[in-house]
């Protein structure tokens, strides 16, 4: 079985909560869940699968802790690793940049040698635009805990099931 690590950045706790919920569904141990604000980038090395999560701030900004961690992560050779991304945002207040940070993670790691999995249909989401939509699909799991929290558990469950099938 592939070793999975979750790396997230969270300012208010929402993205941390989603990371914990994903980890629970995957049966991961607490040691496999890393806050990028406290983590050393070398912590990604032992993992075959990296699940990366970020909230989106302002009009499309990456969560602050990723600003230091992402450049270091980009310098690593991630060849052979599988990456899945998830993001949290507010589709009502920021409909033109909903979950953009997830798209930033995806785009910044394109040249790192990793492969991506976990794309999600945009069907059922209410938003106008996002940098996290590529070829008509989310690049990962988009979560709106502010306006659509009733959908979060089912979206996580479906995503984790699809990830399991892809791994």
């Amino acid at each position: 079985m592939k070793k999975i690590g979750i790396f997230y950045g969270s300012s208010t706790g929402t993205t941390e909560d989603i990371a914990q919920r994903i980890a629970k569904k995957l049966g991961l141990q607490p040691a496999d869940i890393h806050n990028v604000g406290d983590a050393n980038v070398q912590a990604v090395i032992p993992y075959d699968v990296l699940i990366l999560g970020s909230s989106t701030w302002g009009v499309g900004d990456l969560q602050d802790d990723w600003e230091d961690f992402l450049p270091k992560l980009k310098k690593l050779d991630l060849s052979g690793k599988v990456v899945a991304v998830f993001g949290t945002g507010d589709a009502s207040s920021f409909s033109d940049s909903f979950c953009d940070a997830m798209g930033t993670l995806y785009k910044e790691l394109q040249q790192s040698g990793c492969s991506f999995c976990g794309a999600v249909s945009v069907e059922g989401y209410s938003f106008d635009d996002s940098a996290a939509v590529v070829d008509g699909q989310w690049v990962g799991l988009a979560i709106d805990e502010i306006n659509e929290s009733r959908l979060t558990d089912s979206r996580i469950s479906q995503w984790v099931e699809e990830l399991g099938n892809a791994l």
Side-chain angles (χ1 to χ4, degrees):
M1 183 168 177
K2 294 185 177 186
K3 186 161 174 64
I4 301 171
I6 297 178
F7 293 81
Y8 69 90
S10 186
S11 295
T12 64
T14 301
T15 307
E16 178 180 15
D17 175 58
I18 299 302
Q20 296 286 342
R21 289 158 77 176
I22 291 169
K24 184 176 181 181
K25 289 277 183 194
L26 288 167
L28 300 182
Q29 299 300 312
D32 295 319
I33 307 163
H34 307 270
N35 180 335
V36 298
D38 303 329
N40 182 312
V41 75
Q42 297 298 314
V44 305
I45 302 290
Y47 295 105
D48 304 305
V49 179
L50 306 175
I51 298 176
L52 311 177
S54 179
S55 50
T56 298
W57 285 91
V59 184
D61 295 331
L62 194 61
Q63 192 272 343
D64 288 345
D65 295 329
W66 278 104
E67 296 295 335
D68 291 329
F69 195 84
L70 185 56
K72 295 172 187 170
L73 183 60
K74 284 174 53 174
K75 290 180 181 176
L76 296 179
D77 179 4
L78 300 180
S79 297
K81 295 191 184 297
V82 176
V83 173
V85 294
F86 71 95
T88 58
D90 179 346
S92 179
S93 297
F94 298 97
S95 185
D96 289 336
S97 60
F98 177 56
C99 287
D100 272 4
M102 182 171 61
T104 300
L105 292 174
Y106 175 82
K107 288 174 183 145
E108 290 292 318
L109 294 175
Q110 289 288 303
Q111 304 303 315
S112 68
C114 69
S115 60
F116 290 92
C117 73
V120 173
S121 171
V122 296
E123 190 175 321
Y125 286 88
S126 297
F127 70 103
D128 291 319
D129 195 21
S130 178
V133 175
V134 174
D135 296 330
Q137 290 191 306
W138 293 110
V139 296
L141 177 63
I143 297 289
D144 184 346
E145 271 293 90
I146 295 168
N147 303 294
E148 297 182 337
S149 61
R150 70 192 182 290
L151 301 173
T152 299
D153 286 336
S154 62
R155 285 177 172 165
I156 290 172
S157 292
Q158 182 176 351
W159 190 64
V160 166
E161 183 177 327
E162 290 173 12
L163 284 181
N165 293 337
L167 303 175

